[in-house]
């Protein structure tokens, strides 16, 4: 039983690490603000992490329309 718990724990830690790495590479990239996987991860994160990611994207891509999760109520400006 302890072996199963260890395997599940390792898989959860690896999956979390992969998602965090994928999100960070999205918000710190310099090629595009419209990566579909990055947008989905960022839009589902808790408020402070989402805001930090959006601020980082806005600093890099401020002149383009914001991706989903970073737009204000009108959908055309950064929040």
């Amino acid at each position: 039983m302890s072996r199963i718990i260890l395997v599940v724990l390792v898989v959860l830690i690896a999956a979390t690490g992969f998602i965090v790495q994928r999100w960070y590479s999205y918000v710190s990239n310099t090629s595009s603000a419209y990566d579909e996987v990055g947008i989905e991860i960022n839009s589902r994160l808790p408020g402070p992490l989402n805001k930090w990611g959006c601020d980082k994207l806005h600093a890099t891509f401020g002149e383009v329309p914001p991706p989903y999760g970073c737009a204000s109520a009108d959908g055309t400006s950064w929040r």
Side-chain angles (χ1 to χ4, degrees):
M1 187 67 167
S2 66
R3 219 172 197 166
I4 293 172
I5 293 172
L6 181 62
V7 168
V8 169
L9 187 61
V10 168
V11 168
L12 286 174
I13 290 171
T16 302
F18 176 76
I19 291 170
V20 167
Q21 184 276 332
R22 184 71 174 87
W23 170 73
Y24 186 77
S25 68
Y26 165 66
V27 298
S28 65
N29 75 46
T30 57
S31 59
S32 173
Y34 304 113
D35 175 58
E36 293 174 8
V37 176
I39 289 171
E40 282 300 316
I41 293 171
N42 192 52
S43 68
R44 295 174 191 271
L45 287 175
L49 290 175
N50 177 273
K51 182 177 177 349
W52 183 84
C54 290
D55 290 346
K56 195 141 172 74
L57 287 168
H58 187 219
T60 306
F61 303 105
E63 65 279 351
V64 300
Y68 175 75
C70 293
S72 62
D74 66 1
T76 59
S77 59
W78 293 83
R79 56 178 156 121

